[in-house]
Amino acid sequence: MEKQALINMLNRDLADEHAAIIRYLVHGYLEGEDTPLGSSLISISREEMWHMNWLGMIIAQLGGEPNFKPAPYPHDPTSRATMLKSYVEYEEKLIPHYNGEADKVDDSHIMRVLRREAWESAIHARKFQRKLDKLSPEEAAGLPGAESELPKGLLETLKTEVAGKYTEMLQQIRNSWVFQNNELTGWRLMDQAMEKMKQLAHFAEPIAEDGVPPEFKLGKIDTSRAIGMALAKALEDVQEARERHAALKQDTEVQKHSGLVINLDLTIQQEEYQGAELEDWGKGD
C-alpha cells in the first residue's frame, strides 16, 4: 500500500478509536466509576486508548500528522439497553474491518496491530453483551444520570475547563508521537499528557455526577515539527491554565461547592511541576 494511503487509512481508524473512547468514558462517568457498569465502561475506554496510541505512533513514524477529530459514534441513546446494543454492533463491525485492513498491508508490525485491534474488538463486544444480559428490566429501560442541581454558571465553567484540558491532553499526546524518535522527550511528553488526563477527570466527573454528559470539544492543535516551538507552546498552555485555576479556586461559587471540585489544589501543583519541567526541557532543546 502506498504510504499516504496507509496514513489516511490509519487516521480513519484513529478517529474511530477516539470516538469509542469518548462514548464509553462519558457513559462510564454518568453511571459512576463506583458502579459495576461504570467501572467496566471506563476500563474498556482505557483499552481503546491503547488502540489509539498504537495507531498514532505508527502514523507519526510514517511522517503523517495524526487526526484528532473523533468520528461519529452511532448509538441509540434511548436507554441503557439500546446503548449497549449499539456498542456491541460497533465493536463487532470492527472485527472484519481491522482484519481486512491487515490483509492489505505488508509491514508486519502494522499487520499485528490491526489484527490485535480486531481481536480486542471481539472481546469488547462480548463484554458489552454480558453487561446487557445482566441488566434488570428497570436498569435496561432506564438511563444513567440525575437531575442537574449545579448553578448554570458553574456548570458552564466546568465545561470550559473540560474542553481546555481535553485539548491540552491531545496536544501533548500528539507531541509525544511526533517526537518519539527523541525517546526521552517523547516519554516525558506522554507522561505530561497522562497528568492532563487526570486533571480532565477532575472537571468531567463532577459534571457527570450532576447528571450532565461531559462534552469533549476539540480546540486548535498545534502541528509544529520543531520541538522547541512545541515545548514553548506547552509551557504557555500550562502557565495559562495555572493562572486560570488559581483564580477559579477563589471563585465564590466554586467555594460554595467545595465538595464538588476537590482537586484544584492538586491540579495547580501538577501544573507548577509541569511548567518547571517544560522550562528545563526547553533549555536543553
Side-chain angles (χ1 to χ4, degrees), residues 19-269:
I21 292 167
I22 293 173
R23 175 86 294 272
Y24 306 153
L25 200 58
V26 168
H27 189 171
Y29 282 155
L30 287 169
E31 295 287 354
E33 195 167 2
D34 57 346
T35 66
L37 180 55
S39 62
S40 178
L41 284 160
I42 292 172
S43 176
I44 292 174
S45 78
R46 291 178 181 135
E47 292 177 2
E48 303 288 11
M49 291 175 197
W50 278 109
H51 294 183
M52 187 174 174
N53 185 54
W54 298 335
L55 294 167
M57 290 190 70
I58 293 169
I59 291 166
Q61 285 171 349
L62 293 170
E65 182 62 37
N67 167 32
F68 281 103
K69 183 178 180 181
Y73 190 110
H75 68 287
D76 183 345
T78 307
S79 67
R80 283 190 183 89
T82 59
M83 284 194 287
L84 287 171
K85 287 177 183 176
S86 299
Y87 302 167
V88 172
E89 292 172 1
Y90 188 87
E91 295 291 342
E92 286 181 339
K93 287 180 181 178
L94 289 178
I95 302 167
H97 170 78
Y98 280 130
N99 281 327
E101 287 186 342
D103 292 338
K104 298 176 183 177
V105 300
D106 299 321
D107 185 282
S108 59
H109 169 64
I110 299 174
M111 186 185 301
R112 281 193 296 270
V113 166
L114 293 169
R115 297 238 185 261
R116 181 167 178 182
E117 297 205 2
W119 177 66
E120 293 195 3
S121 294
I123 293 174
H124 292 169
R126 291 197 295 271
K127 285 183 177 180
F128 286 132
Q129 187 62 55
R130 285 198 296 270
K131 293 294 180 183
L132 176 59
D133 294 341
K134 288 181 179 179
L135 292 178
S136 69
E138 293 77 15
E139 290 171 330
L143 284 167
E147 186 175 349
S148 178
E149 297 180 356
L150 285 178
K152 185 176 179 181
L154 177 56
L155 193 58
E156 291 304 314
T157 297
L158 295 175
K159 287 181 178 180
T160 298
E161 291 301 329
V162 167
K165 285 299 174 187
Y166 172 58
T167 301
E168 289 174 29
M169 176 191 71
L170 293 180
Q171 180 70 68
Q172 295 298 65
I173 290 174
R174 178 264 177 196
N175 289 345
S176 75
W177 291 342
V178 170
F179 302 119
Q180 62 186 281
N181 288 338
N182 187 332
E183 294 181 4
L184 184 56
T185 299
W187 279 110
R188 284 169 166 173
L189 289 168
M190 182 56 79
D191 183 63
Q192 289 221 349
M194 296 304 101
E195 292 283 2
K196 302 288 187 188
M197 188 179 296
K198 288 191 291 185
Q199 294 165 6
L200 172 63
H202 295 169
F203 294 103
E205 288 174 357
I207 295 173
E209 288 170 6
D210 197 50
V212 179
E215 297 178 18
F216 294 84
K217 295 181 178 179
L218 179 62
K220 181 176 175 55
I221 298 292
D222 178 69
T223 58
S224 172
R225 294 275 166 165
I227 193 166
M229 292 179 64
L231 292 175
K233 175 64 168 60
L235 177 59
E236 180 183 331
D237 287 344
V238 167
Q239 290 172 336
E240 288 180 358
R242 194 241 175 248
E243 291 177 7
R244 193 170 66 249
H245 296 147
L248 189 60
K249 183 181 174 184
Q250 304 304 318
D251 185 275
T252 55
E253 198 62 60
V254 171
Q255 291 175 353
K256 288 179 187 176
H257 300 273
S258 58
L260 181 70
V261 186
I262 60 174
N263 288 300
L264 275 174
D265 284 332
L266 176 59
T267 298
I268 292 168
Q269 290 174 357

